[in-house]
Amino acid sequence: MGKLRAAQYACSLLGHALQKHGASPELQKQIRQLESHLSLGRKLLRLGNSADALESAKRAVHLSDVVLRFCITVSHLNRALYFACDNVLWAGKSGLAPRVDQEKWAQRSFRYYLFSLIMNLSRDAYEIRLLMEQESSACSRRVKGSGGGAPGGIENAGPGVPGTPGGGLPHLALKLQLRVLLLARILRGHPPLLLDVVRNACDLFIPLDKLGLWRCGPGIVGLCGLVSSILSILTLICPWLRLKP
């Protein structure tokens, strides 16, 4: 499935590149047809995914953390609805239900896909916040244990403390810089979370473009879809890179 998705978005990216560089219309048509066939094939292989998403939602209901329970459950429910709309689209494109309004069902499916991604990114942000709080607490304990001043602990430092800004914009800039460094350290130390953030962020461009909320063009959509697909394949090859639960 991941390889088909990667091939589909690679075709989208290639088609955009060929159009931009003035390739022959016949070659562009062949690439578009290949992309369409790959999309239809993926829809066929996803016929049972709604049930899988519902089962995942049932398991997520039992998570002890309230925020994780909400984000993951709602994400899986939206994925189930997205796959259900996708099944209707497959029936329409394959000729089993020729009267299906494909544009309407496509818009519905992308709306559910967008809501699912928003929940996924909310979950990632929550995980990052928890890890940043844990790291900050650990740093504070280490500083208190050593009896020294907190390096960069400017939240607790007053304007009279030597080596710290007296306030205003320099003070805020230093706080922001320390936050960014902490975020980078956390993401570097938690590869599954980093991959999940990048994958969801890349996927977000797809429904935003398809729904007309932010037109980024087929080139960006193809590139983001390809990167997301490669990361998904990577988590299949290396299961420890998959974010849990």
Side-chain angles (χ1 to χ4, degrees):
M1 179 69 73
K3 293 179 182 178
L4 274 179
R5 187 176 191 265
Q8 178 190 341
Y9 284 109
C11 285
S12 176
L13 185 59
L14 177 60
H16 174 72
L18 290 173
Q19 183 181 13
K20 191 174 180 181
H21 289 88
S24 66
E26 183 62 28
L27 179 58
Q28 294 183 43
K29 181 181 177 182
Q30 289 176 356
I31 295 297
R32 284 195 300 269
Q33 287 177 344
L34 177 58
E35 181 187 354
S36 178
H37 292 326
L38 288 170
S39 176
L40 191 61
R42 286 181 58 221
K43 284 177 170 53
L44 174 61
L45 294 175
R46 289 197 300 231
L47 286 179
N49 284 14
S50 287
D52 292 339
L54 287 174
E55 285 299 320
S56 298
K58 285 182 184 178
R59 290 194 296 270
V61 167
H62 302 291
L63 292 173
S64 57
D65 190 294
V66 177
V67 177
L68 287 180
R69 183 167 68 233
F70 174 77
C71 290
I72 296 175
T73 302
V74 173
S75 172
H76 284 309
L77 290 175
N78 276 284
R79 280 179 65 81
L81 292 168
Y82 161 67
F83 287 132
C85 293
D86 210 45
N87 295 342
V88 174
L89 277 172
W90 173 82
K93 290 185 177 182
S94 63
L96 293 177
R99 296 186 179 181
V100 166
D101 187 339
Q102 294 188 25
E103 180 64 26
K104 181 179 73 175
W105 283 96
Q107 291 291 303
R108 284 178 180 171
S109 73
F110 282 118
R111 275 198 294 270
Y112 291 128
Y113 186 31
L114 177 61
F115 293 151
S116 175
L117 291 172
I118 290 173
M119 287 295 102
N120 289 344
L121 287 169
S122 299
R123 177 256 181 100
D124 291 337
Y126 177 69
E127 298 260 20
I128 290 171
R129 178 172 168 261
L130 289 180
L131 290 170
M132 290 182 74
E133 289 176 353
Q134 292 173 10
E135 184 70 18
S136 296
S137 299
C139 286
S140 297
R141 286 195 297 270
R142 285 197 297 268
V143 168
K144 288 178 181 177
S146 64
I154 59 175
E155 286 89 349
N156 302 322
V161 178
T164 59
L169 287 177
H171 181 79
L172 292 175
L174 183 55
K175 286 181 69 174
L176 179 60
Q177 182 182 7
L178 291 170
R179 283 289 175 182
V180 171
L181 291 173
L182 179 59
L183 174 62
R185 187 165 71 225
I186 285 171
L187 291 176
R188 188 170 61 245
H190 298 80
L193 181 56
L194 174 60
L195 258 66
D196 201 65
V197 170
V198 175
R199 187 176 61 181
N200 287 321
C202 286
D203 280 339
L204 193 65
F205 287 95
I206 300 171
L208 287 177
D209 181 79
K210 299 297 184 182
L211 292 170
L213 299 176
W214 186 16
R215 295 291 186 186
C216 45
I220 298 297
V221 169
L223 178 61
C224 289
L226 181 59
V227 170
S228 169
S229 302
I230 292 172
L231 293 179
S232 296
I233 294 171
L234 187 60
T235 59
L236 292 176
I237 297 172
C238 305
W240 65 273
L241 288 174
R242 182 179 291 276
L243 187 63
K244 295 172 180 144

Short mmCIF file of all heavy atoms in Angstrom, two decimals, residues 71 75 113-124 204:
data_model
loop_
_atom_site.label_atom_id
_atom_site.label_comp_id
_atom_site.label_asym_id
_atom_site.label_seq_id
_atom_site.Cartn_x
_atom_site.Cartn_y
_atom_site.Cartn_z
N CYS A 71 -7.78 12.61 21.20
CA CYS A 71 -7.16 12.87 19.91
C CYS A 71 -7.09 11.62 19.04
O CYS A 71 -7.45 11.64 17.86
CB CYS A 71 -5.75 13.44 20.10
SG CYS A 71 -5.70 15.12 20.76
N SER A 75 -9.38 10.88 15.76
CA SER A 75 -8.62 10.70 14.52
C SER A 75 -9.02 9.41 13.81
O SER A 75 -9.26 9.41 12.59
CB SER A 75 -7.12 10.67 14.84
OG SER A 75 -6.37 10.32 13.69
N TYR A 113 -10.42 13.49 6.11
CA TYR A 113 -8.97 13.30 6.14
C TYR A 113 -8.29 14.48 6.83
O TYR A 113 -7.37 14.29 7.66
CB TYR A 113 -8.48 13.16 4.69
CG TYR A 113 -7.02 12.82 4.53
CD1 TYR A 113 -6.34 12.05 5.47
CD2 TYR A 113 -6.31 13.26 3.41
CE1 TYR A 113 -5.01 11.73 5.30
CE2 TYR A 113 -4.97 12.94 3.24
CZ TYR A 113 -4.33 12.17 4.18
OH TYR A 113 -3.00 11.86 4.01
N LEU A 114 -8.76 15.69 6.55
CA LEU A 114 -8.20 16.88 7.18
C LEU A 114 -8.43 16.87 8.69
O LEU A 114 -7.51 17.15 9.47
CB LEU A 114 -8.83 18.13 6.56
CG LEU A 114 -8.40 19.48 7.15
CD1 LEU A 114 -6.91 19.69 7.00
CD2 LEU A 114 -9.18 20.62 6.50
N PHE A 115 -9.65 16.52 9.13
CA PHE A 115 -9.94 16.46 10.57
C PHE A 115 -9.05 15.43 11.25
O PHE A 115 -8.57 15.64 12.37
CB PHE A 115 -11.41 16.11 10.80
CG PHE A 115 -12.37 17.20 10.35
CD1 PHE A 115 -13.64 16.88 9.91
CD2 PHE A 115 -11.98 18.52 10.37
CE1 PHE A 115 -14.52 17.86 9.49
CE2 PHE A 115 -12.85 19.52 9.96
CZ PHE A 115 -14.13 19.19 9.51
N SER A 116 -8.83 14.29 10.58
CA SER A 116 -7.98 13.25 11.15
C SER A 116 -6.55 13.76 11.32
O SER A 116 -5.92 13.53 12.37
CB SER A 116 -7.99 12.02 10.23
OG SER A 116 -7.09 11.04 10.69
N LEU A 117 -6.04 14.47 10.33
CA LEU A 117 -4.67 14.99 10.41
C LEU A 117 -4.55 16.07 11.49
O LEU A 117 -3.53 16.16 12.19
CB LEU A 117 -4.25 15.56 9.06
CG LEU A 117 -4.03 14.53 7.95
CD1 LEU A 117 -3.80 15.23 6.61
CD2 LEU A 117 -2.86 13.62 8.28
N ILE A 118 -5.59 16.89 11.65
CA ILE A 118 -5.57 17.91 12.69
C ILE A 118 -5.49 17.25 14.07
O ILE A 118 -4.74 17.69 14.95
CB ILE A 118 -6.82 18.81 12.59
CG1 ILE A 118 -6.72 19.70 11.35
CG2 ILE A 118 -6.97 19.67 13.84
CD1 ILE A 118 -7.96 20.50 11.05
N MET A 119 -6.23 16.17 14.26
CA MET A 119 -6.18 15.43 15.51
C MET A 119 -4.79 14.80 15.72
O MET A 119 -4.26 14.79 16.83
CB MET A 119 -7.25 14.34 15.54
CG MET A 119 -8.67 14.85 15.73
SD MET A 119 -8.93 15.63 17.35
CE MET A 119 -8.86 17.37 16.91
N ASN A 120 -4.22 14.28 14.64
CA ASN A 120 -2.88 13.68 14.75
C ASN A 120 -1.84 14.73 15.16
O ASN A 120 -0.98 14.48 16.01
CB ASN A 120 -2.47 13.06 13.41
CG ASN A 120 -3.25 11.81 13.08
OD1 ASN A 120 -3.89 11.22 13.95
ND2 ASN A 120 -3.21 11.40 11.83
N LEU A 121 -1.91 15.90 14.54
CA LEU A 121 -0.97 16.97 14.88
C LEU A 121 -1.21 17.51 16.28
O LEU A 121 -0.26 17.90 16.98
CB LEU A 121 -1.06 18.10 13.85
CG LEU A 121 -0.46 17.77 12.47
CD1 LEU A 121 -0.84 18.82 11.45
CD2 LEU A 121 1.07 17.67 12.58
N SER A 122 -2.47 17.53 16.72
CA SER A 122 -2.78 17.94 18.10
C SER A 122 -2.17 16.96 19.08
O SER A 122 -1.61 17.36 20.11
CB SER A 122 -4.29 18.01 18.30
OG SER A 122 -4.88 18.94 17.43
N ARG A 123 -2.26 15.68 18.75
CA ARG A 123 -1.66 14.66 19.60
C ARG A 123 -0.13 14.83 19.65
O ARG A 123 0.49 14.73 20.72
CB ARG A 123 -2.02 13.28 19.05
CG ARG A 123 -1.39 12.10 19.79
CD ARG A 123 -0.23 11.49 19.01
NE ARG A 123 0.34 10.36 19.69
CZ ARG A 123 0.09 9.12 19.39
NH1 ARG A 123 -0.75 8.84 18.41
NH2 ARG A 123 0.69 8.14 20.05
N ASP A 124 0.49 15.12 18.48
CA ASP A 124 1.93 15.33 18.44
C ASP A 124 2.33 16.53 19.30
O ASP A 124 3.32 16.48 20.04
CB ASP A 124 2.39 15.57 16.99
CG ASP A 124 2.27 14.32 16.13
OD1 ASP A 124 2.27 13.21 16.69
OD2 ASP A 124 2.17 14.46 14.89
N LEU A 204 -0.81 17.14 5.49
CA LEU A 204 -1.78 18.22 5.67
C LEU A 204 -1.97 19.04 4.40
O LEU A 204 -3.06 19.55 4.14
CB LEU A 204 -1.32 19.12 6.83
CG LEU A 204 -2.34 20.13 7.36
CD1 LEU A 204 -3.53 19.42 7.99
CD2 LEU A 204 -1.68 21.05 8.39
#
